[in-house]
């Protein structure tokens, strides 16, 4: 007779399936090699890593970055079961940061089917809403809050302006900026 054999797994890999008949003897050709391939990238399980920003505190999900320094976001694709996979040919991975209606896009400079890394730097300190997507699907864990703080002042690069540089007169207010 003819029988169907169903094989199902959530873990990608190579398997050998032993098929036996009613007398528990393997059928001819058994075991059969079955290769389970990962599925397409999923926004629910793909892994993101942010560089150039750190958590505000150990118990916080808020990221903090410094204005003028580069921030990068890497996305490593995983299928719906968490298996390492690749991005499909037409997959668009994107990230933006929005503050007061101003959108700062992240730019893709390095990307392969195995991982995409996006970059940006912020010129203005403030609070941003960081969003990351595969196609039109928002990645799990996003949007996130990103706080951009002003960079430390470099005293050797400061310039002074004002009338006080020319000298001051007693009992008069002079300005120096």
């Amino acid at each position: 007779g003819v029988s169907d054999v169903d094989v199902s797994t959530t873990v990608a890999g190579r398997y050998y399936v032993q098929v036996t008949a009613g007398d528990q003897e393997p059928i001819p050709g058994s075991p059969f090699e079955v290769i389970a391939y990962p599925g397409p990238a999923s926004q629910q399980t793909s892994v993101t890593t942010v560089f150039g920003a750190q958590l505000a505190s150990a118990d916080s999900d808020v990221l903090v970055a410094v204005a003028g320094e580069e921030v990068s976001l890497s996305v490593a694709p995983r299928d719906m079961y968490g298996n390492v996979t690749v991005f499909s040919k037409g997959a668009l991975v994107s990230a933006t940061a929005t503050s007061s209606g101003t959108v700062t896009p992240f730019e893709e400079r390095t990307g392969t089917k195995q991982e995409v890394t996006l970059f940006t730097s912020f010129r203005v300190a403030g609070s941003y809403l960081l969003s990351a997507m595969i196609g039109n699907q928002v990645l799990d864990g996003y949007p996130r809050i990103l706080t951009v703080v002003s960079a430390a002042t470099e005293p050797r690069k400061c310039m002074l302006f004002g009338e006080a540089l020319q000298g001051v007169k007693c009992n008069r207010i002079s300005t120096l900026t």
Side-chain angles (χ1 to χ4, degrees), residues 5-112:
V5 175
D6 294 323
V7 177
S8 179
T9 183
T10 58
V11 180
R14 176 174 285 160
Y15 294 89
Y16 295 92
V17 179
Q18 181 83 13
V19 180
T20 58
D23 59 2
Q24 300 302 314
E25 285 295 315
I27 66 168
S30 190
F32 298 95
E33 181 179 25
V34 175
I35 299 175
Y37 294 98
S42 167
Q43 80 280 359
Q44 296 172 333
T45 54
S46 289
V47 177
T48 61
T49 308
V50 179
F51 298 98
Q54 60 188 11
L55 291 174
S57 67
D59 61 346
S60 172
D61 199 31
V62 175
L63 294 169
V64 178
V66 177
E69 294 186 10
E70 191 168 70
V71 175
S72 66
L73 183 133
S74 292
V75 182
R78 301 291 185 266
D79 71 7
M80 66 187 290
Y81 299 108
N83 294 299
V84 173
T85 189
V86 296
F87 288 114
S88 64
K89 184 178 180 182
L92 174 65
V93 179
S94 63
T96 58
T98 305
S99 177
S100 302
T102 302
V103 177
T104 303
F106 280 65
E107 166 192 16
E108 182 181 334
R109 282 192 233 143
T110 59
T112 64

Side-chain angles (χ1 to χ4, degrees), residues 62-165:
V62 175
L63 294 169
V64 178
V66 177
E69 294 186 10
E70 191 168 70
V71 175
S72 66
L73 183 133
S74 292
V75 182
R78 301 291 185 266
D79 71 7
M80 66 187 290
Y81 299 108
N83 294 299
V84 173
T85 189
V86 296
F87 288 114
S88 64
K89 184 178 180 182
L92 174 65
V93 179
S94 63
T96 58
T98 305
S99 177
S100 302
T102 302
V103 177
T104 303
F106 280 65
E107 166 192 16
E108 182 181 334
R109 282 192 233 143
T110 59
T112 64
K113 289 186 177 285
Q114 289 83 23
E115 184 174 78
V116 171
T117 303
L118 308 161
F119 299 86
T120 198
S121 65
F122 298 90
R123 298 180 64 121
V124 178
S127 289
Y128 292 80
L129 195 59
L130 177 61
S131 204
M133 302 173 78
I134 298 175
N136 62 358
Q137 301 292 313
V138 177
L139 292 169
D140 265 13
Y142 289 85
R144 294 182 73 175
I145 297 172
L146 172 67
T147 301
V148 176
V149 297
S150 297
T153 303
E154 175 57 56
R156 292 182 298 249
K157 294 183 179 179
C158 290
M159 299 182 75
L160 295 175
F161 300 92
E163 62 187 46
L165 288 175

